[in-house]
Amino acid sequence: NHAQVALVDAFVPPEDLVAAGQSGTLGFFRAGVVNVDGKVNPEALEWRGRMPDYLDARGIVWFADAPWYVETYLGPDPGARGWIRVAEDGGYLLYRRVPR
């Protein structure tokens, strides 16, 4: 979705990795996109149910997706794990993990 691409482009530095479950369009237009649903990243399947740990292990501090995907991968309260909501556009949310 182009709204997801625009959201990431507006806030995420080009050199930073960004994770998403719906990563197809985003990955087409941007380098450094890490898929977390396992369709094109089988490594992510090993971390099902522990995605915040996977993102921490990979040093990924950005997550951009629809609200359902945010809850699925970051949990119902992303802030409890240090993820803060940065922006929203076109039905997509952008989160950044703050250092602990």
Side-chain angles (χ1 to χ4, degrees), residues 11-60:
F11 292 93
V12 180
E15 65 276 5
D16 284 7
L17 295 174
V18 60
Q22 299 179 93
S23 62
T25 302
L26 185 59
F28 183 79
F29 288 100
R30 180 185 174 92
V33 175
V34 177
N35 172 271
V36 295
D37 73 4
K39 290 180 184 153
V40 295
N41 177 14
E43 178 184 54
L45 294 174
E46 300 171 27
W47 294 84
R48 278 229 165 123
R50 302 177 298 129
M51 193 51 61
D53 296 329
Y54 173 70
L55 299 174
D56 285 348
R58 296 275 320 263
I60 299 168

Side-chain angles (χ1 to χ4, degrees), residues 63-98:
F63 191 93
D65 221 318
W68 182 87
Y69 279 92
V70 170
E71 184 171 336
T72 298
Y73 295 111
L74 300 183
D77 182 12
R81 298 277 319 234
W83 290 89
I84 57 167
R85 191 160 143 179
V86 173
E88 177 178 1
D89 185 34
Y92 286 86
L93 305 173
L94 178 66
Y95 277 81
R96 185 175 193 283
R97 189 176 55 77
V98 294

